[in-house]
Amino acid sequence: DLTSTFATLKTMTLRPIEIGATAVFTTSLFVRFSPTRDLLNARTEFERLPGFRKGRMFDPHISLHYGPPPKVSMQWPEVRALLDRPVLFDRLVAVAVELPITRADHLDSWVELETLELSTS
């Protein structure tokens, strides 16, 4: 059930596995994470919710930049340092997103549905 799923996610720590950059607007610069068992179980629970778009590939990542890939040559040491340690999240936000997202003005339609504060201890 979602209550136990949320309890599991409250202490979620993910390990970064890759820094990536693509020409795709929403993944122009990102950190990809190794999916944990808890995260995969949570995904299964969320797939049961009304309105969840089934069949979408699960790709745990955080976008660091949207749009054309930034010129990050001066920042690569800082970006690559993100791979050195696990990431502890302080909140999980459910967002209603209209697809496709190909331009910055598409972000204006995003609606935050709910925020789950996570443990940071």
Side-chain angles (χ1 to χ4, degrees), residues 28-79:
S28 61
L29 181 62
F30 62 93
V31 177
R32 181 167 283 130
F33 294 94
S34 179
T36 64
R37 184 178 328 164
D38 288 340
L39 187 58
L40 293 171
N41 289 340
R43 166 71 178 205
T44 299
E45 290 296 321
F46 292 137
E47 287 176 352
R48 297 181 183 139
L49 296 175
F52 189 92
R53 289 189 286 273
K54 295 182 181 356
R56 289 184 47 95
M57 182 182 79
F58 187 46
D59 181 19
H61 72 278
I62 291 184
S63 294
L64 301 176
H65 179 79
Y66 283 174
K71 299 198 182 322
V72 294
S73 59
M74 296 298 290
Q75 300 161 334
W76 270 117
E78 290 87 356
V79 172

Side-chain angles (χ1 to χ4, degrees), residues 3-120:
T3 303
S4 63
T5 298
F6 285 146
T8 300
L9 293 177
K10 281 187 176 269
T11 57
M12 178 174 58
T13 300
L14 297 178
R15 294 218 170 263
I17 56 172
E18 171 188 26
I19 302 290
T22 72
V24 177
F25 180 81
T26 55
T27 55
S28 61
L29 181 62
F30 62 93
V31 177
R32 181 167 283 130
F33 294 94
S34 179
T36 64
R37 184 178 328 164
D38 288 340
L39 187 58
L40 293 171
N41 289 340
R43 166 71 178 205
T44 299
E45 290 296 321
F46 292 137
E47 287 176 352
R48 297 181 183 139
L49 296 175
F52 189 92
R53 289 189 286 273
K54 295 182 181 356
R56 289 184 47 95
M57 182 182 79
F58 187 46
D59 181 19
H61 72 278
I62 291 184
S63 294
L64 301 176
H65 179 79
Y66 283 174
K71 299 198 182 322
V72 294
S73 59
M74 296 298 290
Q75 300 161 334
W76 270 117
E78 290 87 356
V79 172
R80 292 199 190 282
L82 295 171
L83 296 176
D84 291 340
R85 59 187 178 277
V87 177
L88 180 63
F89 294 87
D90 63 355
R91 73 184 62 99
L92 176 66
V93 180
V95 179
V97 175
E98 289 188 35
L99 298 176
I101 303 160
T102 57
R103 301 186 324 256
D105 63 329
H106 290 161
L107 305 176
D108 296 337
S109 68
W110 291 15
V111 177
E112 288 187 17
L113 302 173
E114 189 169 341
T115 298
L116 172 66
E117 297 296 327
L118 303 173
S119 171
T120 57

